[in-house]
Each structure stands twice: as structure tokens, then as C-alpha cells.
Amino acid sequence: MENNQPIIVKRVKKTAGGHHGGAWKIAFADFATAMMAFFLVMWLMSSATPEQKRAISGYFQDPIGFTESASPYAIDLGGTPTPAPERTLNPDVSETPESQPDETGVSTDQIETLAEKMEQERLELLLQELQNKVEENPELQRFKDQILFEITQDGLRIQIMDAENRPMFALGSAELQPYFEDILLAMADTIRAVPNKISVSGHTDAKPFIGHGDFGNWELSSNRANAARRTLVAGGYPDEQVARVVGYASSALFDREDPFNPVNRRIDIVVLTKKAQRAIEGEQGAGAEPSAQEPGPAGSPPVPPADALPADQLRERLNIFETGNSPLDQLNNQ
């Protein structure tokens, strides 16, 4: 008997596995975002200044205590949030006005320190340039033993001194010798390259001046300092850049062991720092409380400190030299 039952062939189709879910993608995306945020924070911490870090820390400690004009964001390189002590909820958050950062995020103290450092570097460069000019100029090189450069707290001091047989001025007068005039003219062009003002002072030795009764070493030293100023101006130095011209006679000897040493006869040119310039112009004591008066020489009335005087009175005081009435030691320290 024939079997007519149909033959059934099962064909199994193999396919790839089905969808198992995408949770790992979400986890990887969260991880990548966290890493990006981490590196962003690390970059901000490395590029932010200490003042910005302190401001950010203050924001998180007391958000209410920050002024409305400051940035509302904790991290904002374009803003400079500053504490408002009258509104703060944290009594520990307080800063002195001197240490508070300004619009640039830099405190006043830092600005002054940076300015003084830049000014010091500028004076050192000027010192090097003047020394090079003396070494390279054959005319000046002959007199290099009479020229002394040094950096002081008031600025760059240039001292030009007499030699035994080579005086800067004619005997007993303010007439410049040709070589000294050449030295001043050569230096004028270099000194005027910096914006600092200068102070010119004249000095004599202790030998009494023989001449008219109303003319002595005080007048002679003042006239010689003024003659040096006129020569600098003739060499192109701006007259308005001269802050002071003063004569000290023999009150500030270079060689105190030998008051008659020719080196005591000299001209001092000081390229002033801004601080020394303000002291000369009477700005140092502006707005300060008046201090006690300093005693003058014996037999003279008390002399007020120089920084308590107005600018016009200070200049008048520096240009008046009367034997027995001028506080020379105080002037030398200013």
C-alpha cells in the first residue's frame, strides 16, 4: 500500500540575537559627561587667580552676601563677585578695602607692588645704559672715575664729583667747565627716555667761602645745582620733569673723614621713584592727620614735618637755606 502522506521538511532560519536594551549607552554618556566636567573644573582651577578662587569660595559659603552688581554665577571669568559685609550672613567673610580686588580681580596692594617692581627694573635698565654710554664714549671714559651710579630708595643716583686737578666749576663760581658740560649734555638724552622726574642737588666741601658777606657755600651750592639743571634743559631734558633743585653746602659730605676732600664737591642727579616724587611734591601727607611737630635746631622754632606741608610751602622750604635755621638733616632724609 502506497504511503501518500506528505513529507514535511522543517527549515530552521538562524537569525541574530534580539535587542537586549541600551542602558550601557546611557551609562557611558553619563561617564563621558562627568569626565568632561571634571577636566573643565581642573582647567578652571589651574587658570584662576588666587583672588578668583577666594571669590568663588566666598560665593559658596555665603551667596547672599555678594553684591547685586556682581556676577550671579559662581564661576564666571568675566565677572568679579565681591562680598557685601552689610548683607552677609557669614560674619567670617570680611576683607579690608586695601585687599579687595578691583574690576580686574587684582587688589590695590598688588597693583602698587607690581608698579614698584616695574619701576625698579626700568631704573636698573637706565643704570646699565648710562654705564654703557660712559664706557663706549671716549670723551666720557676719561672721567669715569668722577662719575658714580647707584640705586637708592629714592631712585637712581648719579654723582659727578670733583677730582684733585679737575674741578667741575670755576673756583668760587657756578660757571661750568667744558668737560662737565659735555657730561651733562651726553646724559640728558638718556635720562629723558624714562618718565620719572629728577632731583638736582649741589654740594661743596667744608672750606669756607671767601667773598661777599651775604654769599656763602649755601648760595654757591644752590647756584651750581641750578647751573647743572640749565645745562640738562639745554641738552633736551624737559624742564617740567625737574622736581627739585637744591643746595646742601657741606651738610652732606661724601667723605666725612676728610671734609676738604675734592670729592665732597659734587652734583647729585637723582632719577626719582614715584614714591619719592610724591614726597617731594607734598602728596604723601595728603588727607592724613597732622602729626606732632619736629624740633628744629637749637634756638629756632619747631619745624613741621615735610610731608605735612603743602606743595608750595615744601618747595619754598627746600630752596631757603639760612645758616642755623635750615633743618638740613631732615631734608637729607626726605
Side-chain angles (χ1 to χ4, degrees):
M1 183 175 180
E2 295 181 2
N3 188 3
N4 296 325
Q5 185 177 359
I7 298 174
I8 301 174
V9 179
K10 291 185 178 180
R11 300 182 182 276
V12 180
K13 185 178 180 181
K14 295 182 179 181
T15 60
H19 181 69
H20 296 287
W24 68 273
K25 297 180 181 179
I26 299 176
F28 181 77
D30 291 342
F31 174 76
T33 304
M35 291 300 295
M36 182 179 65
F38 171 75
F39 285 113
L40 180 61
V41 171
M42 294 297 292
W43 174 76
L44 289 174
M45 293 298 293
S46 63
S47 61
T49 63
E51 290 75 17
Q52 290 172 332
K53 293 178 182 178
R54 187 160 51 248
I56 294 172
S57 175
Y59 177 87
F60 284 107
Q61 292 179 14
D62 187 15
I64 299 178
F66 277 72
T67 60
E68 297 177 356
S69 60
S71 172
Y73 304 102
I75 301 177
D76 184 3
L77 296 181
T80 55
T82 54
E86 68 278 0
R87 297 183 55 193
T88 183
L89 300 179
N90 187 350
D92 296 332
V93 179
S94 61
E95 294 185 357
T96 59
E98 292 78 8
S99 63
Q100 288 183 357
D102 58 7
E103 291 79 2
T104 61
V106 183
S107 65
T108 304
D109 293 340
Q110 287 181 316
I111 294 176
E112 293 181 355
T113 302
L114 180 61
E116 291 178 359
K117 183 178 179 180
M118 293 177 63
E119 186 175 53
Q120 187 73 11
E121 293 177 354
R122 183 167 60 239
L123 293 178
E124 290 175 357
L125 289 175
L126 177 61
L127 169 62
Q128 186 64 42
E129 188 172 351
L130 288 171
Q131 289 176 335
N132 293 339
K133 174 164 286 191
V134 172
E135 292 294 335
E136 296 171 359
N137 191 323
E139 294 296 328
L140 297 180
Q141 193 173 13
R142 294 188 301 157
F143 311 109
K144 66 178 182 179
D145 295 337
Q146 295 178 242
I147 306 173
L148 177 63
F149 302 99
E150 62 176 337
I151 298 290
T152 68
Q153 62 179 1
D154 292 333
L156 170 60
R157 173 180 292 171
I158 307 167
Q159 297 189 90
I160 309 173
M161 301 170 289
D162 269 4
E164 183 66 35
N165 298 317
R166 192 183 293 159
M168 295 181 293
F169 296 90
L171 180 63
S173 74
E175 181 182 353
L176 280 71
Q177 297 291 352
Y179 88 89
F180 179 49
E181 186 175 3
D182 293 339
I183 292 176
L184 294 177
L185 293 175
M187 290 186 176
D189 186 59
T190 303
I191 298 175
R192 71 176 180 179
V194 297
N196 305 60
K197 292 188 176 183
I198 64 171
S199 170
V200 184
S201 58
H203 301 264
T204 65
D205 56 19
K207 184 178 180 179
F209 180 82
I210 301 176
H212 302 288
D214 57 349
F215 191 92
N217 284 337
W218 292 110
E219 290 76 14
L220 179 62
S221 60
S222 300
N223 290 347
R224 287 179 171 180
N226 201 31
R229 177 198 63 81
R230 288 195 298 266
T231 305
L232 289 172
V233 173
Y237 191 81
D239 194 24
E240 62 273 10
Q241 285 294 98
V242 180
R244 177 177 64 182
V245 178
V246 62
Y248 286 102
S250 60
S251 63
L253 296 173
F254 185 85
D255 183 4
R256 296 183 181 275
E257 299 296 329
D258 184 5
F260 302 103
N261 192 328
V263 298
N264 291 317
R265 303 190 298 267
R266 65 195 190 278
I267 293 294
D268 285 1
I269 302 172
V270 181
V271 183
L272 299 167
T273 62
K274 295 299 181 183
K275 184 177 181 180
Q277 177 183 329
R278 288 194 299 266
I280 291 177
E281 294 176 350
E283 297 176 5
Q284 186 178 19
E289 295 182 359
S291 56
Q293 290 184 334
E294 301 175 4
S300 62
V303 179
D307 57 1
L309 293 175
D312 54 346
Q313 295 184 20
L314 178 62
R315 295 189 183 93
E316 181 180 358
R317 174 184 170 189
L318 293 176
N319 288 303
I320 295 179
F321 296 95
E322 297 179 359
T323 305
N325 286 330
S326 181
L328 299 175
D329 293 336
Q330 298 175 19
L331 291 176
N332 290 333
N333 295 328
Q334 294 174 8

